[in-house]
Amino acid sequence: MLDYDKEADAYDATRGGEPRAAAAADAVLGLVPESARGLLDIACGTGIVTRRLAAGRPGLRVTAADAAQGMARVAAARLPGAVVRADSRQLPFGDGSFDAVSVIWLLHLLDDAAPAVAEAARVLRPGGVLVTTVDKNAAHHVGSDIDALAAPYRGQLATDETSLVTAYAAEHGLLPSGTARFRGHGQGRIPRRLARYVRDGEIYAAGGTALAERIEALPGPDAPRPDPEFTLRAFRKAA
């Protein structure tokens, strides 16, 4: 997994920057009820999306949380006084503290997404809404030449697979309430970069060095493949 403390300062430039953040924030807000007054953005990263959530909905008080010190530092510069360091699995907030919770690009990084979903449900008030990305890695399967090589190594069910997240949510009284999709601007996979992740065991680990070399040998090793389309799922807590 990436060292998010070290990556913080350069993170946005390698993750689609403001266009991606704008697309993500618009999609999230489309699933958050207009009546919501308090939103918690879990694993806010650099706050690039969180800032747009705050700006995009007048009257919505936004709080951001991230476990990585480097990320929280960058986010705090964008959202003074609104950022706390916190693990998604042990949040420093009371039960029913928020009308909405957003969890963007986190669950796929966890060995087990269930505790994070449980905490999100705990801090939601009755009738509140959780909005989270699902199937993150699958969104990168865009029919490219990379996909053809990597297909045999996709491995086991992802921790953010829709059916798993839906089941975790249901255990805490959260039922599906909406879906949205948005383009991952600037997130098309680049063979040379992906090959590095494969070598490090961060993705398609079973392919190892052999798969990394085949990906790196593809034509246009520094050319991005098509952008993914990410999926958001919303879950409403029983009133």
Side-chain angles (χ1 to χ4, degrees), residues 16 29 46 49 86 89 132 165 177 192 210 216 231:
L29 289 175
T46 66
V49 174
R89 297 159 296 188
T132 182
V165 176
S177 61
R192 201 183 306 277
E216 205 164 27
T231 299

Side-chain angles (χ1 to χ4, degrees), residues 24-68:
D26 287 348
V28 170
L29 289 175
L31 295 171
V32 173
E34 291 286 344
S35 59
R37 290 295 173 263
L39 179 147
L40 173 64
D41 188 27
I42 299 175
C44 69
T46 66
I48 192 171
V49 174
T50 323
R51 177 176 61 183
R52 287 180 174 273
L53 293 175
R57 180 73 63 83
L60 181 65
R61 185 185 75 260
V62 174
T63 302
D66 201 279

Side-chain angles (χ1 to χ4, degrees), residues 75 77 168 220:
Y168 299 150

Side-chain angles (χ1 to χ4, degrees), residues 12 24 38 49 64 71 73 80 90 93 138 146 177 181 206 210 226 228 239:
D12 293 339
V49 174
M71 290 293 194
R73 170 181 53 81
Q90 192 172 7
F93 306 106
I146 292 175
S177 61
R181 291 180 174 83

Side-chain angles (χ1 to χ4, degrees), residues 91-226:
L91 298 169
F93 306 106
D95 296 356
S97 295
F98 298 94
D99 301 310
V101 172
S102 55
V103 186
I104 311 303
W105 299 302
L106 170 68
L107 300 185
H108 69 288
L109 297 173
L110 304 175
D111 292 333
D112 180 6
V117 174
E119 271 294 87
R122 182 184 66 78
V123 301
L124 270 177
R125 67 164 178 79
V129 172
L130 165 65
V131 179
T132 182
T133 44
V134 294
D135 304 318
K136 195 269 185 182
N137 287 331
H140 288 278
H141 303 154
V142 295
S144 73
D145 49 359
I146 292 175
D147 296 338
L149 293 179
Y153 305 101
R154 289 179 186 168
Q156 62 187 20
L157 201 64
T159 56
D160 71 334
E161 201 276 336
T162 295
S163 64
L164 286 179
V165 176
T166 301
Y168 299 150
E171 290 177 5
H172 300 281
L174 275 65
L175 298 179
S177 61
T179 301
R181 291 180 174 83
F182 63 95
R183 181 183 169 197
H185 293 268
Q187 288 294 279
R189 283 179 166 166
I190 299 171
R192 201 183 306 277
R193 181 190 298 169
L194 181 63
R196 185 167 66 250
Y197 295 154
V198 173
R199 285 193 179 92
D200 291 343
E202 295 179 21
I203 189 169
Y204 307 134
T209 300
L211 176 60
E213 290 177 349
R214 293 179 69 195
I215 291 174
E216 205 164 27
L218 289 170
D222 295 309
R225 275 35 179 184

